Amino acid sequence: ASHSRKRKRSVSPGPLTVKTHELETSHGPRLATFPAIDAPERTPFTAYGSTLHGELIAAETDRIEYEGKELTASAQYAAATYLVAVFDKSKNTLTVRRAPLHVLERRVKRLKTLALAAVSGDLTGFQQQRTELGTVFGTKKAQAAIRAAARNKVDVNAMSTVTDHLQARIESQTHALPTKDEAQQTTDEGRMVPPHRLDATRSEDAYPLSTLIPENEFSAISIVDLLHAGSHDERRMLLPIHVPPRGWLHSTLTRLFASPPSTHKEKDTVRILWYVAAMLAWRRAAGRREASRADIAQTLAHLPASIVDAMTARFMESAREGKLALTADGETRWHTWLLALMLHVDGFQTDVGQVASTVPNATVPKVNTWFRALGCKVGSLTGAERQKRGLSDDDQTKFATLKLPLEFPKAKSKPSARR
C-alpha cells in the first residue's frame, strides 16, 4: 500500500527583529562601482577616515592604482542612500547598516611616468619653437634678447670639467684677503677720530694725551699768567680766544680755579683747557675758504708758532696755488679731536649742551654724533652720578660718557636705489 506523502509545516520562528547600525568606525561594508575595468577579487582596499568631502578608499596592484571618493548627499548623481542587510537565522534578526558608495577611478602607473616625460619634452619644444619664431619674425629688441640669452646660457656638462680648477683658483686668489676681524680693525683705524687704542682698559689710555697734544706742543704751553691771575675775568682774557659768560670754556675755567691748581695733574688739566681754546681760535682763523699757512700764522701770532703749524698740518690739506683747505674730513677730525680733549678735562664725562654752545656752528644732534663716533654713550646720568655732581634728582641734562672697551658705531647700509 502506498503511503501518502504530505509536506510538514515548519514551526513559526516568531517575530523578526530588525537592528540598525551607523557607520561609526572604519569597519563595515562599503559599496564600490567600477565604471571601466573591475579590480581583481583579492585586491585589498583601505578606507581613509571620513572628512567634509566624504570618505576615500584606495588600493593598488603592480600596474594599476585605484582610488574612489564617497558620493555624499551634495555630490552629483548621489540621490540615493544605500543600505546593506544581514539576516541571522539562528537569532531571527535582520541587521541593517548604511553603506557608503564609492565610484572608483583607475590610473596606470606606467602612463604617469610617460605623461611627466611628455610634459617636459613639450615645454622644451615650445621654447625652441618660440626662439626660432622670435629670431625670424621678432623685433630687434626681441632678437637682441634671444642672442643675449644664448650667450649667457651655461653648459652644465662643460662646467663640470673645470669646477675643480675654478675652486683652486678662487682659493689661491682669496688667500691674501683679510679676515673679518682684520677688516674690522682696518676700518676702525681709518675712522675720522684721533689715534686710539682698542685694547685700552683705562679711559685715559683710550685716546692718549701724548697723541692728542704731542710733547713739543705741550711744553710750549705757558700757564704762568693764568695761575697768577687775580680774577675770573682776567683769566678769561688770558685764554687764546674770547670766552663768553656761558658754555663749556666758561664753566670749566670756573670749576678748575674754584681752588688754585697746585698739583702737577691739576696744572696739566689747565694746559689742556688752554689748548682747547687754542684749537677754537685756530678754527676761526682757518675758516671755510682756502688760506695760506702764512695768513693763518699771522692771524694767530699771539700763539706759539709750533702749535699753530702743527694744527695746520694736522687738519688741513693742500689746495690750488699753494693754498690750504679745511675739507669735510679734516673738519670732522678737528671736531672729534677737540671733543677727545674735552673728555680728558672732564674726567671722560662731558655735558653735551655746554659743548654745543661752545663749538661754532654745532647743534646738539651733531655733537651727539661726534661723541658717539669716539665711542661714547650719550644719555642722562644715574642717581649716584647726579648726586656726585650736585645735580637734582629730576635733572635730565645729557652727558657723553666714554665706554670701554672702545666700540664704534657700525656703518649703516644704504638702501638699494629703485629702478
Side-chain angles (χ1 to χ4, degrees):
S2 60
H3 300 279
S4 61
R5 296 181 179 178
K6 295 183 179 180
R7 187 173 61 183
K8 296 180 179 180
R9 293 185 177 181
S10 59
V11 180
S12 177
L16 178 66
T17 302
V18 180
K19 298 180 180 180
T20 60
H21 288 275
E22 293 294 333
L23 187 62
E24 298 174 352
T25 65
S26 60
H27 302 289
R30 268 76 171 173
L31 297 180
T33 177
F34 295 83
I37 301 176
D38 294 345
E41 293 184 0
R42 296 186 178 276
T43 303
F45 281 82
T46 304
Y48 296 95
S50 179
T51 64
L52 295 176
H53 302 288
E55 189 182 54
L56 175 72
I57 62 173
E60 66 175 331
T61 63
D62 294 338
R63 298 182 179 181
I64 301 177
E65 295 178 350
Y66 299 94
E67 182 179 296
K69 294 183 179 179
E70 177 186 355
L71 288 182
T72 60
S74 60
Q76 190 177 10
Y77 309 119
T81 300
Y82 296 87
L83 303 174
V84 175
V86 179
F87 175 67
D88 188 348
K89 186 177 181 180
S90 62
K91 296 181 179 180
N92 196 29
T93 59
L94 181 68
T95 303
V96 182
R97 190 167 188 173
R98 182 177 66 85
L101 175 63
H102 298 265
V103 179
L104 278 87
E105 300 176 354
R106 63 181 179 85
R107 290 190 298 269
V108 180
K109 295 181 178 179
R110 177 63 177 171
L111 294 180
K112 289 174 59 178
T113 306
L114 294 177
L116 291 175
V119 170
S120 177
D122 288 345
L123 290 176
T124 305
F126 171 76
Q127 186 66 33
Q128 184 177 357
Q129 293 172 4
R130 182 177 179 181
T131 302
E132 293 175 354
L133 288 174
T135 304
V136 178
F137 301 106
T139 62
K140 291 183 178 180
K141 185 176 181 180
Q143 292 177 358
I146 292 172
R147 290 193 296 269
R151 288 194 302 268
N152 295 331
K153 187 176 181 180
V154 178
D155 188 351
V156 179
N157 296 328
M159 288 294 294
S160 61
T161 60
V162 297
T163 301
D164 295 339
H165 177 67
L166 288 175
Q167 290 178 348
R169 287 197 60 184
I170 291 173
E171 291 178 359
S172 63
Q173 295 294 330
T174 58
H175 180 71
L177 292 177
T179 62
K180 182 178 180 180
D181 294 338
E182 292 173 347
Q184 183 64 39
Q185 183 177 359
T186 303
T187 302
D188 292 341
E189 292 175 353
R191 294 179 182 274
M192 295 292 106
V193 296
H196 52 275
R197 290 179 54 187
L198 295 174
D199 58 345
T201 57
R202 300 188 308 166
S203 299
E204 54 267 28
D205 295 333
Y207 295 95
L209 184 61
S210 59
T211 60
L212 296 172
I213 309 177
E215 183 61 31
N216 63 321
E217 298 179 56
F218 200 80
S219 60
I221 300 173
S222 176
I223 58 171
V224 176
D225 294 338
L226 276 174
L227 296 177
H228 291 87
S231 65
H232 176 72
D233 291 338
E234 186 178 350
R235 283 188 288 270
R236 286 171 50 197
M237 299 300 296
L238 290 173
L239 288 177
I241 193 173
H242 171 70
V243 180
R246 65 183 184 280
W248 186 86
L249 281 176
H250 173 76
S251 62
T252 305
L253 186 64
T254 302
R255 174 171 57 85
L256 293 181
F257 284 89
S259 59
S262 57
T263 65
H264 181 73
K265 183 177 180 180
E266 291 174 346
K267 293 179 181 180
D268 283 348
T269 303
V270 175
R271 288 187 174 90
I272 301 173
L273 174 67
W274 184 96
Y275 195 88
V276 169
M279 286 188 65
L280 291 169
W282 178 91
R283 177 64 184 82
R284 179 178 296 178
R288 290 184 174 274
R289 298 180 180 180
E290 298 176 358
S292 65
R293 191 182 299 271
D295 292 339
I296 298 174
Q298 183 178 0
T299 304
L300 301 175
H302 60 291
L303 301 182
S306 60
I307 294 179
V308 175
D309 291 341
M311 291 183 184
T312 303
R314 186 176 299 134
F315 303 116
M316 301 191 78
E317 298 180 7
S318 299
R320 299 171 297 177
E321 300 177 358
K323 296 293 185 68
L324 299 175
L326 184 62
T327 63
D329 289 345
E331 191 169 9
T332 301
R333 190 163 52 249
W334 178 86
H335 281 111
T336 55
W337 208 287
L338 182 75
L339 268 56
L341 289 170
M342 290 179 172
L343 286 170
H344 271 274
V345 174
D346 290 338
F348 303 95
Q349 193 172 68
T350 301
D351 187 332
V352 174
Q354 289 188 354
V355 173
S357 63
T358 302
V359 180
N361 301 321
T363 60
V364 172
K366 285 185 178 180
V367 174
N368 290 340
T369 301
W370 297 328
F371 271 123
R372 291 191 179 101
L374 290 169
C376 294
K377 180 181 178 181
V378 179
S380 302
L381 298 179
T382 62
E385 291 171 337
R386 284 195 293 266
Q387 185 178 4
K388 183 179 179 181
R389 288 180 171 269
L391 301 175
S392 61
D393 294 339
D394 57 350
D395 189 285
Q396 297 298 321
T397 304
K398 297 294 188 295
F399 283 80
T401 305
L402 187 65
K403 296 296 183 180
L404 295 180
L406 285 179
E407 291 185 4
F408 298 110
K410 296 181 180 179
K412 296 181 179 179
S413 57
K414 296 182 179 180
S416 57
R418 295 183 178 179
R419 295 183 178 179

